[in-house]
Amino acid sequence: QVQLVESGGGSVQAGGSLRLSCAASGVAYSSYCIGWFRQPPGKTREEVAAISPGGGTSDYPASVKGRFSISRDNAKNTVYLQMHSLKPEDTGMYYCAAAIGGCQTRYGLPVLNQFDFWGQGTQVTVSS
């Protein structure tokens, strides 16, 4: 059983940066695809990025491309989502998720229903 804990969210002004962390326990973390997803208020969950066990990354949606970057440190059992130039539309709950093996993608983006284990989320609020 994979247990995921997100941290690093908070309230920032537009143009600011945050780094989210997803810490895992309970399994060989390095064998899992880890994804980041977000859910804006009143909207459905959407893909942000995923990273494979070997460190390969998915594409990013146009809304975050060039501003967000996913990385992992298997020694620390942690995956990061670095977010720069934040915008009010980045506001939402951010979740990390884990899936055994490689990352599936559709049109370059992670496939949400591949992921079996989810964290509780961390809130990101960007004010204008």
Side-chain angles (χ1 to χ4, degrees):
Q1 184 78 9
V2 181
Q3 296 174 331
L4 303 172
V5 178
E6 302 96 334
S7 62
S11 297
V12 297
Q13 291 192 325
S17 298
L18 286 172
R19 188 177 77 160
L20 307 184
S21 298
C22 174
S25 61
V27 292
Y29 192 59
S30 59
S31 299
Y32 282 74
C33 168
I34 305 297
W36 280 102
F37 299 83
R38 67 183 184 182
Q39 189 161 11
K43 297 185 179 180
T44 57
R45 200 165 295 190
E46 58 189 37
E47 308 85 355
V48 176
I51 188 164
S52 71
T57 64
S58 68
D59 201 356
Y60 300 82
S63 57
V64 308
K65 187 176 290 188
R67 301 187 297 119
F68 289 16
S69 177
I70 190 171
S71 63
R72 71 188 299 158
D73 185 338
N74 287 336
K76 295 183 178 180
N77 272 11
T78 302
V79 168
Y80 304 99
L81 184 68
Q82 180 69 56
M83 307 186 294
H84 294 297
S85 303
L86 284 162
K87 304 176 181 180
E89 51 264 44
D90 295 318
T91 293
M93 188 69 77
Y94 283 68
Y95 299 90
C96 67
I100 187 70
C103 298
Q104 298 176 19
T105 60
R106 183 182 298 124
Y107 306 114
L109 297 179
V111 177
L112 190 147
N113 60 17
Q114 174 193 10
F115 294 86
D116 301 308
F117 305 101
W118 291 82
Q120 294 300 305
T122 186
Q123 177 69 36
V124 172
T125 302
V126 185
S127 58
S128 58

